[in-house]
Amino acid sequence: SSKWKPYVLEFAPDGMIYTTLARKLYVVDPETLNYKLIHDVFINDMTIGIDGSIYYGPGGGTNISRIAV
C-alpha cells in the first residue's frame, strides 16, 4: 500500500482477511467484521505464504519479515 500500489487484501487459510490498510497490518474477521491491528509499522506490501504465515516488507525497505499465524 504505497503511493503507487493499492492496498492488499489477502484471504488466509485460517479464514481471516489480512490487509495493509492505512499502511499498517490488520486482520479482519469476515463473519463479524471485527478487526485488530497486528503490527503498527509502515508496511508497503504483504502476502500470505503457503505455510499460512504473513510475509511483509516493513518500512518500505528491502527486508522481509514473517509473522507465524
Side-chain angles (χ1 to χ4, degrees):
S1 61
S2 71
K3 186 183 287 187
W4 306 106
K5 186 174 183 344
Y7 294 114
V8 176
L9 291 170
E10 293 263 349
F11 290 85
D14 64 1
M16 299 297 212
I17 301 170
Y18 293 87
T19 182
T20 58
L21 287 172
R23 296 188 174 134
K24 299 182 186 317
L25 188 56
Y26 287 92
V27 61
V28 179
D29 183 335
E31 301 262 334
T32 65
L33 299 182
N34 290 331
Y35 64 92
K36 180 179 179 183
L37 177 65
I38 295 178
H39 206 48
D40 190 13
V41 298
F42 181 89
I43 296 176
N44 267 334
D45 207 359
M46 57 84 56
T47 192
I48 306 296
I50 59 173
D51 62 353
S53 295
I54 302 165
Y55 293 89
Y56 66 96
T62 58
N63 295 326
I64 294 175
S65 295
R66 176 180 171 258
I67 298 175
V69 176

